[in-house]
Amino acid sequence: MTHIVFFELKDPTPENREALVKILQKLNTEDVPMAQSFECGADVLGSDRSLDAALVVKLPADQLEAYANDPYHCRIKAEMAPLLQRSMTVDFD
C-alpha cells in the first residue's frame, strides 16, 4: 500500500518547510519496522495548488493501523504538530 500525507504549514516560510522536512526525515524503517520505505520533501513549485510538503510511506495494507499507532511515529507527529495548519492523506494499493 502507498500512504501519502500532504502537509500545510501554519506559517509557510522556507525555515518552517526545512524544519518540517527535517522532522519527517527522522522516520525510518528501523524505528518503524512495519514500513517498507519513507520518502519526503518540500514543495518546489509554490503554485496556487501547492501544499508545503509531502510524505510517502510504503507498507503492507494490513499494517496501516499498526503504523498509525506506532509510538515512534506518534512522537514524530507530536513534534511536527505545532508547525502544521493541517494534513491530508491518500491511501491506495
Side-chain angles (χ1 to χ4, degrees):
M1 156 176 274
T2 301
H3 172 67
I4 304 174
V5 187
F6 300 97
F7 300 97
E8 181 179 1
L9 292 165
K10 289 179 186 173
D11 183 17
T13 64
E15 296 80 15
N16 285 344
R17 278 188 202 90
E18 183 179 334
L20 176 58
V21 170
K22 282 185 178 183
I23 294 168
L24 291 170
Q25 287 173 336
K26 294 178 184 180
L27 289 165
N28 64 80
T29 57
E30 191 171 307
D31 290 315
V32 188
M34 71 285 299
Q36 298 162 332
S37 67
F38 292 95
E39 187 174 358
C40 64
D43 177 63
V44 295
L45 294 181
S47 76
D48 291 341
R49 296 180 51 202
S50 294
L51 291 172
D52 295 298
L55 171 70
V56 179
V57 184
K58 299 283 190 173
L59 71 163
D62 64 354
Q63 293 297 304
L64 187 58
E65 186 174 341
Y67 169 71
N69 296 309
D70 178 80
Y72 187 83
H73 172 241
C74 290
R75 284 196 304 272
I76 296 296
K77 288 180 6 182
E79 185 177 349
M80 66 182 164
L83 295 170
L84 298 179
Q85 179 69 32
R86 66 180 173 152
S87 64
M88 298 173 283
T89 64
V90 174
D91 298 284
F92 60 90
D93 285 326

